[in-house]
Amino acid sequence: MSEMAMSFAALAGFVVGALAVLFYRNQIEAPSRTTAADGIETGAALPQGVASVLAVLPSSAVVLDAHDRVLRASSAARAFGLVKGDRLMAAELLALARQVRRDGEIRESEIDVAGHKFGQETTNFAVRVAPLGSYGQVLVLAEDQTERRRVEAVRRDFVANVSHELKTPVGAMSLLAETIQDAADDPEAVSRFAGRMQLEAARLNYLIQDLITLSRIQGAEPIPTPGQVVIDETVSDAIDHCNTRASAKDITLVTGGTEGLRVWGDVELLVTALRNLIDNAVAYSPEHTRVVVSVRPAGDSVEISVSDQGIGIPEEALERIFERFFRVDAARSRATGGTGLGLAIVKHVAAAHAGEVSVWSKEGSGSTFTLRLPAFGGTAVAVPPSIPLEAAP
């Protein structure tokens, strides 16, 4: 059982116990009553203490009477669509409540309920159903664990992908080392395979560095100590990192737009984000083309765009390109040494700066990635280089 599930079970046990005490006390103070119409013991109204406990619960809570009518429901239960009017809408929960009423045993389970929120297909609940008092009343507690399940799935996928990505260069280096050992008497072969080992080692290093960077920023937490960042210098540093790879394909890196713009942020992270965008553009562009990095003011933000003349991105892949390890063309990415983490890093760097990243692309016509960041001073104003950072508005 996961830590969160154990916490929910403990909370549910405490609530059930507390409500049972309240009901027991209520029964002593207010004797049971039998209606003349049907002879069924209905008991007194829901005690005030019970209503107060249910009101402060963060989870969905419902109290049913002996006829499956809802006596009390928390706002969360109604928001998720578990309760409508005086009826419990989830058939599985209703079946559990009836079983608990018959045998008096507390039951726990997990159920999926059709999504009640916009864009959500299903909601997964951890539920606990317990008898309440002696009048056939039943308490239902349901904890939304949809997000926790999603996070667990992402974590599993991440571990599996990291294992695979690390396995590939490590395995290649192992085979190359054996080959070099067997070809010890052939200096030319040793030199060739040693060069291959260096490439695999570099690929492994890039992957580890990207993982370290991603681990620092994936929480989308704000930059601890943001400062003024000169975009011209940031773009220049990022291009310097990419010049060697671009030159190998005879791709020209061009800069343009408004000079002198500044943003709030962390220089190192912003250089990393731009380097990844430029590297990505170079990797997916044919030889003898160009990649353009342009900067422009946009009200209270600064927009930095990286445009290429590459193969473009299929429309169905546009929503997934910022996922970790997602590749539009896995074969090309691995051939160029890509780790599959570059765009994920860009997305998290943007979030850490209270900004965003967007993409326009058309197959065969290239792509444009735009990083939008809050301007220093609240307005994107070009500052002449002669004005020092501390004197800028």
Side-chain angles (χ1 to χ4, degrees), residues 19 23 45-57 59-65 68-78 82-88 132 137-141:
L19 293 182
F23 265 76
L46 198 65
Q48 182 61 41
V50 174
S52 299
V53 171
L54 295 181
V56 299
L57 284 178
S59 55
S60 301
V62 182
V63 176
L64 300 176
D65 67 8
D68 293 333
R69 289 191 299 264
V70 175
L71 291 179
R72 178 75 62 171
S74 66
S75 57
R78 296 188 182 278
L82 295 175
V83 173
K84 184 175 293 185
D86 65 347
R87 290 295 173 189
L88 186 63
L132 206 57
Q137 292 169 328
V138 175
L139 171 67
V140 177
L141 295 175

Side-chain angles (χ1 to χ4, degrees), residues 314-377:
E315 185 175 354
E316 62 273 14
L318 285 174
E319 293 184 358
R320 298 193 58 198
I321 56 174
F322 293 104
E323 294 179 11
R324 290 170 292 189
F325 295 111
F326 178 77
R327 293 179 171 96
V328 176
D329 185 341
R332 176 190 289 263
S333 182
R334 289 194 173 92
T336 56
T339 64
L341 294 173
L343 292 180
I345 289 174
V346 174
K347 181 187 74 171
H348 287 294
V349 168
H353 285 77
E356 61 181 3
V357 60
S358 58
V359 57
W360 172 92
S361 187
K362 183 177 180 181
E363 286 188 271
S365 300
S367 305
T368 297
F369 287 84
T370 301
L371 190 60
R372 187 183 178 95
L373 303 167
F376 175 75

